[in-house]
Amino acid sequence: MIILLSPEQPVAHESAIVNTLLERGLSLFHIRKYQLTDVEMAAYVDAIDPDYRKQVVLHSHFHLANELGIGRLHVREEDRKQHKQQAFMTGFTLSTSVHTITTFNTLDALWDYAFLSPVFPSISKKGYGITHTVLHDLRLRRNPHVRLVGLGGIDEQNYGQVFTAGADAIALLGAIWNSPQPIQVFDTIHKNIHTEIHHEAK
């Protein structure tokens, strides 16, 4: 499974890229646009093909979810610690973020999956993950209820290490939005993952 996070700042042809990647096999698209007004958020979501609405995840503007036909919400770590997810525990599929495997292991089955980061030094957030990454901590995973999604610095060269370390999925950000050829980057990773899965199944 490949998840894509939106860039926080606008990127040229952003909606067209998202629609193309969903068409080409992107599993889920996370919208991180905290600064948008309600009207702007509705317009952003409307630019995504309705056929893929079930694969869209909101990081904010939760009060618009039903109106926009979105059934997936992502609760940030600081919000989870304040139990803000309690208002959305029914009717939505929830995901969250953690930054240590110890915290991941304590998550209950309420969460469909959790981002664990940074597995590598960040591409989009310069300096993040330079002194500490969590890739080698994945072997300490003890939580059978929640899927683990590696996030941070993942690109077409290193994504395989994340699956080998024990992640269920990967999340992309800078590898896509900082690339002059985002669709080709996605295609390379997506194709290789499916080729490897096919070989393992033989």
PDB file of all heavy atoms in Angstrom, residues 157-191:
ATOM      1  N   GLN A 157      14.648   4.976  -4.177  1.00  0.00           N
ATOM      2  CA  GLN A 157      15.856   4.213  -3.877  1.00  0.00           C
ATOM      3  C   GLN A 157      15.743   3.388  -2.589  1.00  0.00           C
ATOM      4  O   GLN A 157      16.302   2.305  -2.489  1.00  0.00           O
ATOM      5  CB  GLN A 157      17.066   5.152  -3.742  1.00  0.00           C
ATOM      6  CG  GLN A 157      17.767   5.467  -5.055  1.00  0.00           C
ATOM      7  CD  GLN A 157      17.008   6.483  -5.887  1.00  0.00           C
ATOM      8  OE1 GLN A 157      16.608   7.528  -5.371  1.00  0.00           O
ATOM      9  NE2 GLN A 157      16.799   6.191  -7.149  1.00  0.00           N
ATOM     10  N   ASN A 158      15.027   3.908  -1.597  1.00  0.00           N
ATOM     11  CA  ASN A 158      15.087   3.264  -0.273  1.00  0.00           C
ATOM     12  C   ASN A 158      13.783   2.646   0.218  1.00  0.00           C
ATOM     13  O   ASN A 158      13.761   2.062   1.301  1.00  0.00           O
ATOM     14  CB  ASN A 158      15.593   4.269   0.771  1.00  0.00           C
ATOM     15  CG  ASN A 158      14.676   5.477   0.931  1.00  0.00           C
ATOM     16  OD1 ASN A 158      13.481   5.417   0.645  1.00  0.00           O
ATOM     17  ND2 ASN A 158      15.225   6.596   1.394  1.00  0.00           N
ATOM     18  N   TYR A 159      12.701   2.765  -0.554  1.00  0.00           N
ATOM     19  CA  TYR A 159      11.398   2.292  -0.067  1.00  0.00           C
ATOM     20  C   TYR A 159      11.418   0.820   0.315  1.00  0.00           C
ATOM     21  O   TYR A 159      10.726   0.393   1.255  1.00  0.00           O
ATOM     22  CB  TYR A 159      10.314   2.538  -1.131  1.00  0.00           C
ATOM     23  CG  TYR A 159      10.432   1.598  -2.299  1.00  0.00           C
ATOM     24  CD1 TYR A 159       9.769   0.371  -2.305  1.00  0.00           C
ATOM     25  CD2 TYR A 159      11.255   1.896  -3.376  1.00  0.00           C
ATOM     26  CE1 TYR A 159       9.926  -0.518  -3.356  1.00  0.00           C
ATOM     27  CE2 TYR A 159      11.411   1.027  -4.422  1.00  0.00           C
ATOM     28  CZ  TYR A 159      10.738  -0.182  -4.408  1.00  0.00           C
ATOM     29  OH  TYR A 159      10.906  -1.074  -5.425  1.00  0.00           O
ATOM     30  N   GLY A 160      12.211   0.009  -0.393  1.00  0.00           N
ATOM     31  CA  GLY A 160      12.252  -1.419  -0.127  1.00  0.00           C
ATOM     32  C   GLY A 160      12.741  -1.738   1.273  1.00  0.00           C
ATOM     33  O   GLY A 160      12.301  -2.729   1.889  1.00  0.00           O
ATOM     34  N   GLN A 161      13.630  -0.902   1.802  1.00  0.00           N
ATOM     35  CA  GLN A 161      14.144  -1.124   3.158  1.00  0.00           C
ATOM     36  C   GLN A 161      13.032  -1.020   4.202  1.00  0.00           C
ATOM     37  O   GLN A 161      13.092  -1.681   5.237  1.00  0.00           O
ATOM     38  CB  GLN A 161      15.229  -0.094   3.482  1.00  0.00           C
ATOM     39  CG  GLN A 161      16.462  -0.158   2.609  1.00  0.00           C
ATOM     40  CD  GLN A 161      17.438   0.943   2.967  1.00  0.00           C
ATOM     41  OE1 GLN A 161      17.802   1.115   4.132  1.00  0.00           O
ATOM     42  NE2 GLN A 161      17.873   1.715   1.978  1.00  0.00           N
ATOM     43  N   VAL A 162      12.053  -0.194   3.917  1.00  0.00           N
ATOM     44  CA  VAL A 162      10.967   0.022   4.875  1.00  0.00           C
ATOM     45  C   VAL A 162      10.094  -1.219   4.967  1.00  0.00           C
ATOM     46  O   VAL A 162       9.713  -1.660   6.061  1.00  0.00           O
ATOM     47  CB  VAL A 162      10.129   1.261   4.476  1.00  0.00           C
ATOM     48  CG1 VAL A 162       9.120   1.586   5.574  1.00  0.00           C
ATOM     49  CG2 VAL A 162      11.030   2.461   4.215  1.00  0.00           C
ATOM     50  N   PHE A 163       9.789  -1.814   3.828  1.00  0.00           N
ATOM     51  CA  PHE A 163       9.010  -3.063   3.832  1.00  0.00           C
ATOM     52  C   PHE A 163       9.825  -4.199   4.444  1.00  0.00           C
ATOM     53  O   PHE A 163       9.293  -4.998   5.220  1.00  0.00           O
ATOM     54  CB  PHE A 163       8.577  -3.424   2.409  1.00  0.00           C
ATOM     55  CG  PHE A 163       7.466  -2.558   1.864  1.00  0.00           C
ATOM     56  CD1 PHE A 163       7.725  -1.601   0.903  1.00  0.00           C
ATOM     57  CD2 PHE A 163       6.168  -2.695   2.329  1.00  0.00           C
ATOM     58  CE1 PHE A 163       6.718  -0.802   0.397  1.00  0.00           C
ATOM     59  CE2 PHE A 163       5.145  -1.898   1.836  1.00  0.00           C
ATOM     60  CZ  PHE A 163       5.420  -0.954   0.865  1.00  0.00           C
ATOM     61  N   THR A 164      11.101  -4.262   4.111  1.00  0.00           N
ATOM     62  CA  THR A 164      11.959  -5.310   4.663  1.00  0.00           C
ATOM     63  C   THR A 164      12.036  -5.215   6.184  1.00  0.00           C
ATOM     64  O   THR A 164      12.080  -6.231   6.887  1.00  0.00           O
ATOM     65  CB  THR A 164      13.378  -5.202   4.065  1.00  0.00           C
ATOM     66  OG1 THR A 164      13.292  -5.347   2.650  1.00  0.00           O
ATOM     67  CG2 THR A 164      14.297  -6.268   4.638  1.00  0.00           C
ATOM     68  N   ALA A 165      12.022  -3.985   6.703  1.00  0.00           N
ATOM     69  CA  ALA A 165      12.103  -3.779   8.153  1.00  0.00           C
ATOM     70  C   ALA A 165      10.811  -4.166   8.865  1.00  0.00           C
ATOM     71  O   ALA A 165      10.809  -4.340  10.086  1.00  0.00           O
ATOM     72  CB  ALA A 165      12.430  -2.322   8.456  1.00  0.00           C
ATOM     73  N   GLY A 166       9.707  -4.300   8.109  1.00  0.00           N
ATOM     74  CA  GLY A 166       8.473  -4.776   8.730  1.00  0.00           C
ATOM     75  C   GLY A 166       7.264  -3.877   8.605  1.00  0.00           C
ATOM     76  O   GLY A 166       6.207  -4.170   9.185  1.00  0.00           O
ATOM     77  N   ALA A 167       7.359  -2.789   7.834  1.00  0.00           N
ATOM     78  CA  ALA A 167       6.201  -1.910   7.654  1.00  0.00           C
ATOM     79  C   ALA A 167       5.168  -2.565   6.744  1.00  0.00           C
ATOM     80  O   ALA A 167       5.508  -3.357   5.861  1.00  0.00           O
ATOM     81  CB  ALA A 167       6.631  -0.573   7.067  1.00  0.00           C
ATOM     82  N   ASP A 168       3.912  -2.215   6.959  1.00  0.00           N
ATOM     83  CA  ASP A 168       2.830  -2.715   6.110  1.00  0.00           C
ATOM     84  C   ASP A 168       2.645  -1.858   4.865  1.00  0.00           C
ATOM     85  O   ASP A 168       2.076  -2.316   3.869  1.00  0.00           O
ATOM     86  CB  ASP A 168       1.511  -2.724   6.894  1.00  0.00           C
ATOM     87  CG  ASP A 168       1.575  -3.621   8.108  1.00  0.00           C
ATOM     88  OD1 ASP A 168       1.866  -4.825   7.939  1.00  0.00           O
ATOM     89  OD2 ASP A 168       1.352  -3.129   9.233  1.00  0.00           O
ATOM     90  N   ALA A 169       3.070  -0.611   4.952  1.00  0.00           N
ATOM     91  CA  ALA A 169       2.858   0.336   3.854  1.00  0.00           C
ATOM     92  C   ALA A 169       3.858   1.470   3.986  1.00  0.00           C
ATOM     93  O   ALA A 169       4.548   1.598   5.009  1.00  0.00           O
ATOM     94  CB  ALA A 169       1.433   0.878   3.902  1.00  0.00           C
ATOM     95  N   ILE A 170       3.915   2.300   2.931  1.00  0.00           N
ATOM     96  CA  ILE A 170       4.767   3.482   2.976  1.00  0.00           C
ATOM     97  C   ILE A 170       3.944   4.720   2.643  1.00  0.00           C
ATOM     98  O   ILE A 170       2.940   4.648   1.943  1.00  0.00           O
ATOM     99  CB  ILE A 170       5.947   3.373   1.981  1.00  0.00           C
ATOM    100  CG1 ILE A 170       5.447   3.149   0.546  1.00  0.00           C
ATOM    101  CG2 ILE A 170       6.909   2.287   2.419  1.00  0.00           C
ATOM    102  CD1 ILE A 170       6.527   3.247  -0.517  1.00  0.00           C
ATOM    103  N   ALA A 171       4.395   5.845   3.170  1.00  0.00           N
ATOM    104  CA  ALA A 171       3.771   7.130   2.860  1.00  0.00           C
ATOM    105  C   ALA A 171       4.812   8.013   2.185  1.00  0.00           C
ATOM    106  O   ALA A 171       5.948   8.108   2.644  1.00  0.00           O
ATOM    107  CB  ALA A 171       3.244   7.800   4.132  1.00  0.00           C
ATOM    108  N   LEU A 172       4.415   8.639   1.090  1.00  0.00           N
ATOM    109  CA  LEU A 172       5.313   9.494   0.320  1.00  0.00           C
ATOM    110  C   LEU A 172       4.915  10.953   0.476  1.00  0.00           C
ATOM    111  O   LEU A 172       3.736  11.279   0.609  1.00  0.00           O
ATOM    112  CB  LEU A 172       5.259   9.121  -1.167  1.00  0.00           C
ATOM    113  CG  LEU A 172       5.607   7.670  -1.522  1.00  0.00           C
ATOM    114  CD1 LEU A 172       5.402   7.440  -3.018  1.00  0.00           C
ATOM    115  CD2 LEU A 172       7.035   7.331  -1.115  1.00  0.00           C
ATOM    116  N   LEU A 173       5.907  11.821   0.426  1.00  0.00           N
ATOM    117  CA  LEU A 173       5.648  13.260   0.495  1.00  0.00           C
ATOM    118  C   LEU A 173       6.668  13.976  -0.400  1.00  0.00           C
ATOM    119  O   LEU A 173       6.404  14.264  -1.556  1.00  0.00           O
ATOM    120  CB  LEU A 173       5.716  13.756   1.942  1.00  0.00           C
ATOM    121  CG  LEU A 173       5.486  15.249   2.189  1.00  0.00           C
ATOM    122  CD1 LEU A 173       4.158  15.709   1.626  1.00  0.00           C
ATOM    123  CD2 LEU A 173       5.564  15.564   3.678  1.00  0.00           C
ATOM    124  N   GLY A 174       7.857  14.243   0.114  1.00  0.00           N
ATOM    125  CA  GLY A 174       8.855  14.977  -0.639  1.00  0.00           C
ATOM    126  C   GLY A 174       9.297  14.283  -1.915  1.00  0.00           C
ATOM    127  O   GLY A 174       9.601  14.952  -2.922  1.00  0.00           O
ATOM    128  N   ALA A 175       9.332  12.947  -1.921  1.00  0.00           N
ATOM    129  CA  ALA A 175       9.761  12.219  -3.116  1.00  0.00           C
ATOM    130  C   ALA A 175       8.865  12.528  -4.309  1.00  0.00           C
ATOM    131  O   ALA A 175       9.311  12.498  -5.461  1.00  0.00           O
ATOM    132  CB  ALA A 175       9.778  10.720  -2.853  1.00  0.00           C
ATOM    133  N   ILE A 176       7.602  12.815  -4.029  1.00  0.00           N
ATOM    134  CA  ILE A 176       6.646  13.144  -5.090  1.00  0.00           C
ATOM    135  C   ILE A 176       6.647  14.637  -5.372  1.00  0.00           C
ATOM    136  O   ILE A 176       6.868  15.091  -6.501  1.00  0.00           O
ATOM    137  CB  ILE A 176       5.227  12.680  -4.711  1.00  0.00           C
ATOM    138  CG1 ILE A 176       5.178  11.155  -4.548  1.00  0.00           C
ATOM    139  CG2 ILE A 176       4.205  13.172  -5.746  1.00  0.00           C
ATOM    140  CD1 ILE A 176       5.441  10.377  -5.820  1.00  0.00           C
ATOM    141  N   TRP A 177       6.402  15.437  -4.346  1.00  0.00           N
ATOM    142  CA  TRP A 177       6.148  16.866  -4.568  1.00  0.00           C
ATOM    143  C   TRP A 177       7.407  17.676  -4.841  1.00  0.00           C
ATOM    144  O   TRP A 177       7.332  18.774  -5.394  1.00  0.00           O
ATOM    145  CB  TRP A 177       5.381  17.442  -3.378  1.00  0.00           C
ATOM    146  CG  TRP A 177       4.061  16.773  -3.198  1.00  0.00           C
ATOM    147  CD1 TRP A 177       3.661  16.022  -2.129  1.00  0.00           C
ATOM    148  CD2 TRP A 177       2.953  16.758  -4.112  1.00  0.00           C
ATOM    149  NE1 TRP A 177       2.387  15.539  -2.327  1.00  0.00           N
ATOM    150  CE2 TRP A 177       1.923  15.976  -3.528  1.00  0.00           C
ATOM    151  CE3 TRP A 177       2.728  17.328  -5.366  1.00  0.00           C
ATOM    152  CZ2 TRP A 177       0.698  15.765  -4.157  1.00  0.00           C
ATOM    153  CZ3 TRP A 177       1.515  17.109  -5.999  1.00  0.00           C
ATOM    154  CH2 TRP A 177       0.521  16.337  -5.395  1.00  0.00           C
ATOM    155  N   ASN A 178       8.566  17.154  -4.461  1.00  0.00           N
ATOM    156  CA  ASN A 178       9.821  17.854  -4.759  1.00  0.00           C
ATOM    157  C   ASN A 178      10.431  17.393  -6.079  1.00  0.00           C
ATOM    158  O   ASN A 178      11.491  17.873  -6.475  1.00  0.00           O
ATOM    159  CB  ASN A 178      10.848  17.637  -3.642  1.00  0.00           C
ATOM    160  CG  ASN A 178      10.478  18.364  -2.355  1.00  0.00           C
ATOM    161  OD1 ASN A 178       9.354  18.841  -2.214  1.00  0.00           O
ATOM    162  ND2 ASN A 178      11.402  18.451  -1.432  1.00  0.00           N
ATOM    163  N   SER A 179       9.778  16.456  -6.748  1.00  0.00           N
ATOM    164  CA  SER A 179      10.312  15.902  -7.986  1.00  0.00           C
ATOM    165  C   SER A 179       9.742  16.627  -9.206  1.00  0.00           C
ATOM    166  O   SER A 179       8.548  16.938  -9.243  1.00  0.00           O
ATOM    167  CB  SER A 179       9.973  14.412  -8.090  1.00  0.00           C
ATOM    168  OG  SER A 179      10.307  13.915  -9.372  1.00  0.00           O
ATOM    169  N   PRO A 180      10.576  16.847 -10.220  1.00  0.00           N
ATOM    170  CA  PRO A 180      10.054  17.410 -11.470  1.00  0.00           C
ATOM    171  C   PRO A 180       9.230  16.392 -12.254  1.00  0.00           C
ATOM    172  O   PRO A 180       8.515  16.760 -13.192  1.00  0.00           O
ATOM    173  CB  PRO A 180      11.327  17.802 -12.237  1.00  0.00           C
ATOM    174  CG  PRO A 180      12.380  16.912 -11.693  1.00  0.00           C
ATOM    175  CD  PRO A 180      12.036  16.688 -10.245  1.00  0.00           C
ATOM    176  N   GLN A 181       9.318  15.118 -11.868  1.00  0.00           N
ATOM    177  CA  GLN A 181       8.567  14.053 -12.543  1.00  0.00           C
ATOM    178  C   GLN A 181       7.848  13.179 -11.506  1.00  0.00           C
ATOM    179  O   GLN A 181       8.160  12.004 -11.339  1.00  0.00           O
ATOM    180  CB  GLN A 181       9.511  13.194 -13.395  1.00  0.00           C
ATOM    181  CG  GLN A 181      10.193  13.986 -14.515  1.00  0.00           C
ATOM    182  CD  GLN A 181      11.096  13.113 -15.352  1.00  0.00           C
ATOM    183  OE1 GLN A 181      11.893  12.335 -14.829  1.00  0.00           O
ATOM    184  NE2 GLN A 181      10.974  13.231 -16.662  1.00  0.00           N
ATOM    185  N   PRO A 182       6.860  13.753 -10.804  1.00  0.00           N
ATOM    186  CA  PRO A 182       6.210  13.025  -9.701  1.00  0.00           C
ATOM    187  C   PRO A 182       5.499  11.746 -10.130  1.00  0.00           C
ATOM    188  O   PRO A 182       5.525  10.753  -9.388  1.00  0.00           O
ATOM    189  CB  PRO A 182       5.209  14.054  -9.155  1.00  0.00           C
ATOM    190  CG  PRO A 182       4.980  15.003 -10.286  1.00  0.00           C
ATOM    191  CD  PRO A 182       6.287  15.085 -11.009  1.00  0.00           C
ATOM    192  N   ILE A 183       4.897  11.756 -11.294  1.00  0.00           N
ATOM    193  CA  ILE A 183       4.156  10.572 -11.737  1.00  0.00           C
ATOM    194  C   ILE A 183       5.113   9.422 -12.026  1.00  0.00           C
ATOM    195  O   ILE A 183       4.855   8.265 -11.673  1.00  0.00           O
ATOM    196  CB  ILE A 183       3.281  10.912 -12.963  1.00  0.00           C
ATOM    197  CG1 ILE A 183       2.190  11.906 -12.539  1.00  0.00           C
ATOM    198  CG2 ILE A 183       2.651   9.657 -13.550  1.00  0.00           C
ATOM    199  CD1 ILE A 183       1.456  12.563 -13.676  1.00  0.00           C
ATOM    200  N   GLN A 184       6.251   9.743 -12.638  1.00  0.00           N
ATOM    201  CA  GLN A 184       7.244   8.700 -12.925  1.00  0.00           C
ATOM    202  C   GLN A 184       7.811   8.106 -11.635  1.00  0.00           C
ATOM    203  O   GLN A 184       8.050   6.902 -11.558  1.00  0.00           O
ATOM    204  CB  GLN A 184       8.379   9.265 -13.783  1.00  0.00           C
ATOM    205  CG  GLN A 184       7.975   9.563 -15.223  1.00  0.00           C
ATOM    206  CD  GLN A 184       7.420  10.971 -15.413  1.00  0.00           C
ATOM    207  OE1 GLN A 184       6.804  11.530 -14.498  1.00  0.00           O
ATOM    208  NE2 GLN A 184       7.643  11.543 -16.582  1.00  0.00           N
ATOM    209  N   VAL A 185       8.032   8.961 -10.628  1.00  0.00           N
ATOM    210  CA  VAL A 185       8.530   8.464  -9.337  1.00  0.00           C
ATOM    211  C   VAL A 185       7.532   7.479  -8.739  1.00  0.00           C
ATOM    212  O   VAL A 185       7.904   6.377  -8.295  1.00  0.00           O
ATOM    213  CB  VAL A 185       8.784   9.629  -8.357  1.00  0.00           C
ATOM    214  CG1 VAL A 185       9.077   9.093  -6.954  1.00  0.00           C
ATOM    215  CG2 VAL A 185       9.937  10.496  -8.839  1.00  0.00           C
ATOM    216  N   PHE A 186       6.257   7.865  -8.732  1.00  0.00           N
ATOM    217  CA  PHE A 186       5.232   6.967  -8.191  1.00  0.00           C
ATOM    218  C   PHE A 186       5.168   5.666  -8.977  1.00  0.00           C
ATOM    219  O   PHE A 186       5.120   4.567  -8.396  1.00  0.00           O
ATOM    220  CB  PHE A 186       3.859   7.641  -8.200  1.00  0.00           C
ATOM    221  CG  PHE A 186       2.754   6.697  -7.790  1.00  0.00           C
ATOM    222  CD1 PHE A 186       2.506   6.444  -6.452  1.00  0.00           C
ATOM    223  CD2 PHE A 186       1.998   6.028  -8.746  1.00  0.00           C
ATOM    224  CE1 PHE A 186       1.507   5.549  -6.060  1.00  0.00           C
ATOM    225  CE2 PHE A 186       1.004   5.129  -8.371  1.00  0.00           C
ATOM    226  CZ  PHE A 186       0.767   4.893  -7.021  1.00  0.00           C
ATOM    227  N   ASP A 187       5.156   5.781 -10.294  1.00  0.00           N
ATOM    228  CA  ASP A 187       5.058   4.581 -11.132  1.00  0.00           C
ATOM    229  C   ASP A 187       6.193   3.612 -10.854  1.00  0.00           C
ATOM    230  O   ASP A 187       5.990   2.391 -10.802  1.00  0.00           O
ATOM    231  CB  ASP A 187       5.071   4.966 -12.614  1.00  0.00           C
ATOM    232  CG  ASP A 187       3.728   5.483 -13.107  1.00  0.00           C
ATOM    233  OD1 ASP A 187       2.730   5.347 -12.372  1.00  0.00           O
ATOM    234  OD2 ASP A 187       3.679   6.030 -14.220  1.00  0.00           O
ATOM    235  N   THR A 188       7.394   4.132 -10.675  1.00  0.00           N
ATOM    236  CA  THR A 188       8.555   3.283 -10.405  1.00  0.00           C
ATOM    237  C   THR A 188       8.364   2.498  -9.108  1.00  0.00           C
ATOM    238  O   THR A 188       8.554   1.274  -9.068  1.00  0.00           O
ATOM    239  CB  THR A 188       9.837   4.136 -10.304  1.00  0.00           C
ATOM    240  OG1 THR A 188      10.076   4.755 -11.562  1.00  0.00           O
ATOM    241  CG2 THR A 188      11.038   3.279  -9.923  1.00  0.00           C
ATOM    242  N   ILE A 189       7.966   3.199  -8.055  1.00  0.00           N
ATOM    243  CA  ILE A 189       7.785   2.539  -6.759  1.00  0.00           C
ATOM    244  C   ILE A 189       6.620   1.555  -6.814  1.00  0.00           C
ATOM    245  O   ILE A 189       6.735   0.404  -6.369  1.00  0.00           O
ATOM    246  CB  ILE A 189       7.567   3.588  -5.648  1.00  0.00           C
ATOM    247  CG1 ILE A 189       8.815   4.475  -5.520  1.00  0.00           C
ATOM    248  CG2 ILE A 189       7.255   2.905  -4.318  1.00  0.00           C
ATOM    249  CD1 ILE A 189       8.639   5.635  -4.555  1.00  0.00           C
ATOM    250  N   HIS A 190       5.508   1.997  -7.371  1.00  0.00           N
ATOM    251  CA  HIS A 190       4.299   1.158  -7.430  1.00  0.00           C
ATOM    252  C   HIS A 190       4.554  -0.113  -8.232  1.00  0.00           C
ATOM    253  O   HIS A 190       4.199  -1.223  -7.804  1.00  0.00           O
ATOM    254  CB  HIS A 190       3.159   1.974  -8.047  1.00  0.00           C
ATOM    255  CG  HIS A 190       1.850   1.268  -8.057  1.00  0.00           C
ATOM    256  ND1 HIS A 190       1.271   0.759  -9.199  1.00  0.00           N
ATOM    257  CD2 HIS A 190       0.979   0.971  -7.045  1.00  0.00           C
ATOM    258  CE1 HIS A 190       0.119   0.199  -8.903  1.00  0.00           C
ATOM    259  NE2 HIS A 190      -0.084   0.308  -7.609  1.00  0.00           N
ATOM    260  N   LYS A 191       5.168   0.036  -9.379  1.00  0.00           N
ATOM    261  CA  LYS A 191       5.449  -1.120 -10.227  1.00  0.00           C
ATOM    262  C   LYS A 191       6.384  -2.093  -9.533  1.00  0.00           C
ATOM    263  O   LYS A 191       6.171  -3.313  -9.551  1.00  0.00           O
ATOM    264  CB  LYS A 191       6.066  -0.631 -11.539  1.00  0.00           C
ATOM    265  CG  LYS A 191       6.519  -1.747 -12.477  1.00  0.00           C
ATOM    266  CD  LYS A 191       7.223  -1.147 -13.687  1.00  0.00           C
ATOM    267  CE  LYS A 191       7.899  -2.236 -14.514  1.00  0.00           C
ATOM    268  NZ  LYS A 191       8.705  -1.661 -15.610  1.00  0.00           N
TER     269      LYS A 191
END
